[in-house]
Amino acid sequence: MISGIILYSVAIVLTITSFFKDRGRTKKALLKSFNLFKNILPDVLSIMFFVGLSLAILTPELISSLIGESSGSLGILLSTVVGSVAIVPSFVVFPLGSTLVQNGAGLPQVAAFMSSLMAVGFVTLPMESKLFGRKFAYLRNASGAVMSVIFAYIIWGVMI
Amino acid sequence: MKTLKKYRIFLLLLTGLILLTLLAPTTGKNAFRLAGNSIMDMLSLLPPVLVLVGLLDVWVPKEVMMKYMGNGSGFRGIFFSLLLGFVAAGPLYISFPVATLLIKKGAALRYVVFFIGVWTTAKLPVFIYELTSFGYEFTAIHIIFGLTFYYFVGMAFEKIFAEKPIAIEE
Protein backbone atom coordinates (compact mmCIF):
# COMPACT_ATOMS: atom_id res chain seq x y z
CA MET A 1 0.00 0.00 0.00
CA ILE A 2 2.76 2.42 1.01
CA SER A 3 4.83 1.38 -2.01
CA GLY A 4 1.78 2.12 -4.14
CA ILE A 5 1.40 5.64 -2.77
CA ILE A 6 5.12 6.34 -3.25
CA LEU A 7 5.06 4.94 -6.79
CA TYR A 8 1.97 6.93 -7.80
CA SER A 9 3.42 10.16 -6.33
CA VAL A 10 6.74 9.70 -8.14
CA ALA A 11 4.99 8.81 -11.40
CA ILE A 12 2.64 11.82 -11.21
CA VAL A 13 5.40 14.31 -10.32
CA LEU A 14 7.67 13.04 -13.09
CA THR A 15 4.85 13.04 -15.65
CA ILE A 16 4.00 16.66 -14.83
CA THR A 17 7.69 17.67 -15.01
CA SER A 18 8.06 15.84 -18.30
CA PHE A 19 4.89 17.50 -19.64
CA PHE A 20 6.23 20.99 -18.98
CA LYS A 21 9.55 20.12 -20.57
CA ASP A 22 8.22 18.47 -23.70
CA ARG A 23 4.57 17.81 -24.44
CA GLY A 24 5.14 15.63 -27.46
CA ARG A 25 7.57 13.31 -25.73
CA THR A 26 5.34 12.97 -22.70
CA LYS A 27 2.44 12.01 -24.91
CA LYS A 28 4.63 9.42 -26.61
CA ALA A 29 5.78 8.07 -23.23
CA LEU A 30 2.24 7.72 -21.89
CA LEU A 31 1.11 6.07 -25.11
CA LYS A 32 3.94 3.54 -24.72
CA SER A 33 2.93 2.88 -21.12
CA PHE A 34 -0.68 2.39 -22.12
CA ASN A 35 0.20 -0.02 -24.93
CA LEU A 36 2.39 -2.03 -22.57
CA PHE A 37 -0.48 -2.17 -20.08
CA LYS A 38 -2.91 -3.29 -22.77
CA ASN A 39 -0.48 -5.98 -23.90
CA ILE A 40 0.16 -7.54 -20.53
CA LEU A 41 -3.30 -7.08 -18.97
CA PRO A 42 -4.71 -10.46 -20.07
CA ASP A 43 -1.69 -12.26 -18.59
CA VAL A 44 -1.74 -10.17 -15.44
CA LEU A 45 -5.45 -10.84 -14.86
CA SER A 46 -4.87 -14.59 -15.29
CA ILE A 47 -2.06 -14.35 -12.74
CA MET A 48 -4.37 -12.56 -10.29
CA PHE A 49 -7.03 -15.26 -10.56
CA PHE A 50 -4.39 -17.92 -10.14
CA VAL A 51 -3.18 -16.22 -6.96
CA GLY A 52 -6.71 -16.44 -5.59
CA LEU A 53 -6.94 -20.10 -6.52
CA SER A 54 -3.50 -20.90 -5.06
CA LEU A 55 -4.18 -19.28 -1.73
CA ALA A 56 -7.66 -20.76 -1.38
CA ILE A 57 -6.63 -24.33 -2.18
CA LEU A 58 -3.20 -24.50 -0.59
CA THR A 59 -4.01 -24.16 3.06
CA PRO A 60 -1.03 -24.25 5.46
CA GLU A 61 -2.32 -27.56 6.89
CA LEU A 62 -2.37 -29.17 3.44
CA ILE A 63 1.15 -28.04 2.52
CA SER A 64 2.59 -28.98 5.91
CA SER A 65 1.21 -32.48 5.58
CA LEU A 66 2.93 -32.85 2.20
CA ILE A 67 6.35 -31.64 3.27
CA GLY A 68 6.83 -32.77 6.86
CA GLU A 69 10.16 -32.75 8.67
CA SER A 70 10.93 -36.30 7.59
CA SER A 71 10.01 -35.82 3.92
CA GLY A 72 13.68 -35.44 2.88
CA SER A 73 14.75 -34.94 -0.74
CA LEU A 74 11.36 -35.96 -2.07
CA GLY A 75 9.85 -33.22 0.07
CA ILE A 76 12.31 -30.68 -1.34
CA LEU A 77 11.41 -31.71 -4.89
CA LEU A 78 7.70 -31.62 -4.14
CA SER A 79 7.85 -28.21 -2.50
CA THR A 80 9.84 -26.82 -5.42
CA VAL A 81 7.13 -28.06 -7.80
CA VAL A 82 4.29 -26.65 -5.69
CA GLY A 83 6.19 -23.38 -5.23
CA SER A 84 6.74 -23.12 -8.99
CA VAL A 85 3.10 -23.66 -9.84
CA ALA A 86 1.54 -21.54 -7.10
CA ILE A 87 1.77 -17.77 -6.95
CA VAL A 88 1.19 -15.70 -3.85
CA PRO A 89 1.89 -12.02 -3.17
CA SER A 90 5.49 -11.53 -2.09
CA PHE A 91 4.69 -10.15 1.35
CA VAL A 92 2.69 -13.31 2.09
CA VAL A 93 5.59 -15.66 1.28
CA PHE A 94 7.56 -15.51 4.53
CA PRO A 95 4.65 -15.30 6.98
CA LEU A 96 3.14 -18.29 5.15
CA GLY A 97 6.49 -20.09 5.38
CA SER A 98 6.72 -19.56 9.09
CA THR A 99 3.16 -20.85 9.54
CA LEU A 100 4.20 -23.95 7.60
CA VAL A 101 7.17 -24.58 9.87
CA GLN A 102 4.92 -24.17 12.92
CA ASN A 103 2.54 -26.71 11.41
CA GLY A 104 5.31 -29.29 11.18
CA ALA A 105 6.87 -28.74 7.74
CA GLY A 106 10.64 -29.19 7.47
CA LEU A 107 12.82 -26.07 7.21
CA PRO A 108 14.76 -27.09 4.04
CA GLN A 109 11.47 -28.02 2.34
CA VAL A 110 9.91 -24.71 3.31
CA ALA A 111 13.05 -22.91 2.07
CA ALA A 112 12.67 -24.54 -1.35
CA PHE A 113 8.96 -23.74 -1.37
CA MET A 114 9.41 -20.05 -0.56
CA SER A 115 12.33 -19.58 -2.90
CA SER A 116 10.53 -21.16 -5.86
CA LEU A 117 7.36 -19.21 -5.05
CA MET A 118 9.30 -16.02 -5.64
CA ALA A 119 11.63 -17.06 -8.45
CA VAL A 120 9.68 -19.54 -10.59
CA GLY A 121 6.28 -19.01 -12.14
CA PHE A 122 4.53 -21.43 -14.47
CA VAL A 123 1.68 -18.97 -14.64
CA THR A 124 3.92 -16.03 -15.52
CA LEU A 125 5.69 -18.12 -18.18
CA PRO A 126 3.40 -17.07 -21.09
CA MET A 127 3.90 -13.40 -20.23
CA GLU A 128 7.63 -13.82 -19.79
CA SER A 129 7.91 -15.71 -23.11
CA LYS A 130 5.98 -13.01 -24.90
CA LEU A 131 8.28 -10.28 -23.61
CA PHE A 132 11.70 -11.98 -23.73
CA GLY A 133 11.25 -14.98 -26.00
CA ARG A 134 10.59 -18.57 -25.03
CA LYS A 135 14.20 -19.63 -24.57
CA PHE A 136 14.97 -16.87 -22.10
CA ALA A 137 11.78 -17.48 -20.12
CA TYR A 138 12.30 -21.25 -19.78
CA LEU A 139 15.98 -20.92 -18.91
CA ARG A 140 15.37 -18.21 -16.32
CA ASN A 141 12.65 -20.22 -14.63
CA ALA A 142 14.75 -23.38 -14.72
CA SER A 143 17.64 -21.55 -13.08
CA GLY A 144 15.25 -20.30 -10.40
CA ALA A 145 14.16 -23.89 -9.69
CA VAL A 146 17.78 -25.08 -9.50
CA MET A 147 18.61 -22.21 -7.16
CA SER A 148 15.71 -23.15 -4.87
CA VAL A 149 16.79 -26.79 -4.62
CA ILE A 150 20.45 -25.95 -3.89
CA PHE A 151 19.37 -23.36 -1.36
CA ALA A 152 17.24 -25.98 0.42
CA TYR A 153 20.20 -28.37 0.64
CA ILE A 154 22.45 -25.63 2.02
CA ILE A 155 19.85 -24.90 4.71
CA TRP A 156 19.65 -28.65 5.40
CA GLY A 157 23.44 -28.91 5.75
CA VAL A 158 23.98 -25.76 7.78
CA MET A 159 20.92 -25.32 9.95
CA ILE A 160 19.55 -28.81 10.61
CA MET B 1 -12.07 -12.65 -31.81
CA LYS B 2 -8.50 -11.53 -31.34
CA THR B 3 -9.32 -10.09 -27.95
CA LEU B 4 -11.10 -13.29 -27.00
CA LYS B 5 -7.99 -15.28 -27.87
CA LYS B 6 -5.80 -13.02 -25.78
CA TYR B 7 -8.04 -13.55 -22.78
CA ARG B 8 -8.52 -17.29 -23.21
CA ILE B 9 -6.39 -18.34 -20.23
CA PHE B 10 -8.14 -15.77 -18.09
CA LEU B 11 -11.56 -17.03 -19.19
CA LEU B 12 -10.48 -20.61 -18.54
CA LEU B 13 -9.42 -19.70 -14.99
CA LEU B 14 -12.63 -17.75 -14.45
CA THR B 15 -14.68 -20.76 -15.52
CA GLY B 16 -12.59 -22.95 -13.19
CA LEU B 17 -13.23 -20.60 -10.31
CA ILE B 18 -16.97 -20.51 -11.00
CA LEU B 19 -17.06 -24.31 -11.08
CA LEU B 20 -15.09 -24.42 -7.83
CA THR B 21 -17.57 -22.01 -6.25
CA LEU B 22 -20.47 -24.25 -7.29
CA LEU B 23 -18.77 -27.38 -5.90
CA ALA B 24 -17.17 -25.89 -2.80
CA PRO B 25 -18.79 -22.52 -2.09
CA THR B 26 -16.52 -21.51 0.81
CA THR B 27 -13.25 -22.23 -0.98
CA GLY B 28 -14.55 -20.69 -4.20
CA LYS B 29 -15.74 -17.48 -2.59
CA ASN B 30 -12.46 -17.25 -0.74
CA ALA B 31 -10.56 -17.62 -4.02
CA PHE B 32 -12.61 -14.83 -5.60
CA ARG B 33 -11.99 -12.57 -2.64
CA LEU B 34 -8.24 -13.27 -2.75
CA ALA B 35 -8.16 -12.67 -6.52
CA GLY B 36 -9.94 -9.36 -5.92
CA ASN B 37 -7.33 -8.36 -3.34
CA SER B 38 -4.55 -9.26 -5.77
CA ILE B 39 -6.14 -7.13 -8.49
CA MET B 40 -6.24 -4.18 -6.09
CA ASP B 41 -2.57 -4.75 -5.25
CA MET B 42 -1.75 -4.93 -8.94
CA LEU B 43 -3.58 -1.66 -9.60
CA SER B 44 -1.59 0.06 -6.87
CA LEU B 45 1.76 -0.97 -8.43
CA LEU B 46 1.58 -1.76 -12.13
CA PRO B 47 0.21 1.49 -13.66
CA PRO B 48 2.77 3.82 -12.02
CA VAL B 49 5.62 1.42 -12.82
CA LEU B 50 4.53 1.36 -16.48
CA VAL B 51 4.30 5.17 -16.55
CA LEU B 52 7.86 5.33 -15.17
CA VAL B 53 9.01 2.79 -17.76
CA GLY B 54 7.42 4.91 -20.52
CA LEU B 55 9.04 8.11 -19.26
CA LEU B 56 12.47 6.49 -18.90
CA ASP B 57 12.05 5.14 -22.40
CA VAL B 58 11.68 8.58 -23.97
CA TRP B 59 14.01 10.54 -21.68
CA VAL B 60 16.99 8.31 -20.96
CA PRO B 61 19.32 8.08 -23.96
CA LYS B 62 20.82 4.72 -24.83
CA GLU B 63 24.35 5.98 -24.13
CA VAL B 64 23.50 6.78 -20.52
CA MET B 65 22.06 3.34 -19.87
CA MET B 66 25.05 1.72 -21.55
CA LYS B 67 27.40 3.72 -19.38
CA TYR B 68 25.71 2.57 -16.19
CA MET B 69 24.60 -0.96 -17.06
CA GLY B 70 26.11 -1.75 -20.44
CA ASN B 71 28.95 -4.06 -21.36
CA GLY B 72 32.04 -3.07 -19.48
CA SER B 73 30.18 -0.96 -16.92
CA GLY B 74 31.80 -3.30 -14.40
CA PHE B 75 31.12 -2.59 -10.78
CA ARG B 76 28.64 0.16 -11.67
CA GLY B 77 26.48 -2.39 -13.48
CA ILE B 78 26.38 -4.67 -10.46
CA PHE B 79 25.61 -1.76 -8.18
CA PHE B 80 22.70 -0.46 -10.26
CA SER B 81 21.13 -3.89 -10.76
CA LEU B 82 21.37 -4.46 -7.01
CA LEU B 83 19.83 -1.07 -6.27
CA LEU B 84 17.01 -1.48 -8.81
CA GLY B 85 16.12 -4.96 -7.58
CA PHE B 86 16.49 -4.07 -3.92
CA VAL B 87 14.10 -1.11 -3.91
CA ALA B 88 11.64 -3.10 -6.00
CA ALA B 89 8.02 -3.25 -5.01
CA GLY B 90 5.71 -6.01 -6.00
CA PRO B 91 5.62 -9.42 -7.57
CA LEU B 92 7.97 -10.74 -10.22
CA TYR B 93 5.76 -9.91 -13.18
CA ILE B 94 6.22 -6.20 -12.47
CA SER B 95 9.98 -6.60 -12.99
CA PHE B 96 9.43 -7.82 -16.57
CA PRO B 97 8.50 -4.50 -18.22
CA VAL B 98 11.42 -2.88 -16.37
CA ALA B 99 13.79 -5.59 -17.60
CA THR B 100 12.60 -5.24 -21.22
CA LEU B 101 13.32 -1.52 -21.03
CA LEU B 102 16.82 -2.23 -19.71
CA ILE B 103 17.50 -4.62 -22.62
CA LYS B 104 16.10 -2.15 -25.14
CA LYS B 105 18.31 0.61 -23.82
CA GLY B 106 21.47 -1.45 -24.14
CA ALA B 107 22.03 -2.81 -20.63
CA ALA B 108 24.19 -5.94 -20.62
CA LEU B 109 22.12 -9.13 -20.36
CA ARG B 110 24.25 -10.20 -17.39
CA TYR B 111 22.95 -7.27 -15.35
CA VAL B 112 19.38 -7.66 -16.55
CA VAL B 113 19.28 -11.30 -15.42
CA PHE B 114 21.03 -10.35 -12.19
CA PHE B 115 18.45 -7.59 -11.65
CA ILE B 116 15.59 -10.10 -11.98
CA GLY B 117 17.51 -12.38 -9.60
CA VAL B 118 17.85 -9.62 -7.02
CA TRP B 119 14.14 -8.92 -7.40
CA THR B 120 13.34 -12.57 -6.60
CA THR B 121 15.67 -12.86 -3.59
CA ALA B 122 16.38 -9.56 -1.89
CA LYS B 123 13.53 -7.07 -2.30
CA LEU B 124 13.68 -4.69 0.65
CA PRO B 125 10.07 -5.03 1.88
CA VAL B 126 10.20 -8.82 1.66
CA PHE B 127 13.68 -8.93 3.17
CA ILE B 128 12.32 -7.43 6.38
CA TYR B 129 9.62 -10.11 6.60
CA GLU B 130 12.24 -12.78 6.02
CA LEU B 131 14.48 -11.45 8.76
CA THR B 132 11.68 -11.31 11.32
CA SER B 133 10.19 -14.71 10.47
CA PHE B 134 13.34 -16.76 9.84
CA GLY B 135 16.23 -15.00 11.53
CA TYR B 136 19.68 -13.82 10.49
CA GLU B 137 21.36 -17.07 9.56
CA PHE B 138 18.60 -18.22 7.21
CA THR B 139 18.27 -14.80 5.58
CA ALA B 140 22.02 -14.40 5.14
CA ILE B 141 22.35 -17.82 3.48
CA HIS B 142 19.39 -17.10 1.21
CA ILE B 143 20.59 -13.70 0.04
CA ILE B 144 24.32 -14.37 -0.26
CA PHE B 145 23.82 -17.67 -2.05
CA GLY B 146 20.96 -16.33 -4.21
CA LEU B 147 22.81 -13.25 -5.40
CA THR B 148 26.02 -15.14 -6.18
CA PHE B 149 24.03 -17.78 -8.04
CA TYR B 150 22.13 -15.25 -10.15
CA TYR B 151 25.27 -13.33 -10.99
CA PHE B 152 26.76 -16.47 -12.53
CA VAL B 153 23.44 -17.30 -14.22
CA GLY B 154 23.59 -13.84 -15.76
CA MET B 155 27.07 -14.50 -17.11
CA ALA B 156 25.91 -17.83 -18.53
CA PHE B 157 22.91 -16.14 -20.18
CA GLU B 158 25.19 -13.65 -21.84
CA LYS B 159 27.12 -16.52 -23.43
CA ILE B 160 23.96 -18.42 -24.41
CA PHE B 161 22.35 -15.39 -26.03
CA ALA B 162 25.55 -13.97 -27.56
CA GLU B 163 24.75 -15.29 -31.03
CA LYS B 164 21.10 -14.38 -31.13
CA PRO B 165 20.37 -11.48 -28.79
CA ILE B 166 16.93 -11.06 -27.29
CA ALA B 167 14.75 -8.80 -29.40
CA ILE B 168 12.23 -6.65 -27.57
CA GLU B 169 9.02 -5.81 -29.40
CA GLU B 170 7.87 -2.24 -29.40
Side-chain angles (χ1 to χ4, degrees), chain A:
Chain A
M1 194 61 214
I2 296 164
S3 335
I5 294 170
I6 297 172
L7 276 172
Y8 267 97
S9 316
V10 174
I12 289 169
V13 169
L14 288 181
T15 307
I16 293 172
T17 317
S18 167
F19 185 76
F20 279 115
K21 277 196 150 173
D22 189 331
R23 258 178 215 218
R25 268 199 193 191
T26 312
K27 226 178 176 175
K28 208 173 131 201
L30 292 180
L31 202 66
K32 280 187 181 206
S33 315
F34 181 70
N35 281 334
L36 204 53
F37 186 67
K38 221 173 57 187
N39 264 339
I40 61 179
L41 190 64
D43 296 318
V44 169
L45 280 179
S46 316
I47 296 169
M48 303 295 92
F49 272 72
F50 205 76
V51 172
L53 212 57
S54 294
L55 285 174
I57 295 176
L58 295 172
T59 57
E61 294 77 24
L62 179 71
I63 308 175
S64 299
S65 69
L66 289 173
I67 51 172
E69 275 177 72
S70 53
S71 61
S73 292
L74 194 67
I76 290 179
L77 204 68
L78 194 63
S79 45
T80 307
V81 172
V82 177
S84 303
V85 176
I87 295 188
V88 306
S90 40
F91 56 88
V92 172
V93 172
F94 288 104
L96 173 64
S98 96
T99 314
L100 292 179
V101 173
Q102 279 159 23
N103 278 325
L107 191 61
Q109 288 78 9
V110 171
F113 175 65
M114 296 191 299
S115 171
S116 51
L117 268 183
M118 293 188 290
V120 191
F122 275 109
V123 190
T124 48
L125 211 47
M127 177 181 176
E128 205 174 338
S129 305
K130 218 183 278 169
L131 293 171
F132 302 96
R134 196 171 276 190
K135 192 173 162 194
F136 178 96
Y138 281 77
L139 280 174
R140 197 204 59 76
N141 280 283
S143 59
V146 171
M147 184 266 167
S148 306
V149 172
I150 302 176
F151 169 52
Y153 278 107
I154 297 177
I155 291 293
W156 199 349
V158 176
M159 292 186 73
I160 303 295

Side-chain angles (χ1 to χ4, degrees), chain A residues 36, chain B residues 49-50 53 84 94-103 115 119:
Chain A
L36 204 53
Chain B
V49 167
L50 292 180
V53 166
L84 268 180
I94 295 192
S95 78
F96 296 155
V98 181
T100 55
L101 177 75
L102 294 178
I103 295 177
F115 154 73
W119 189 299

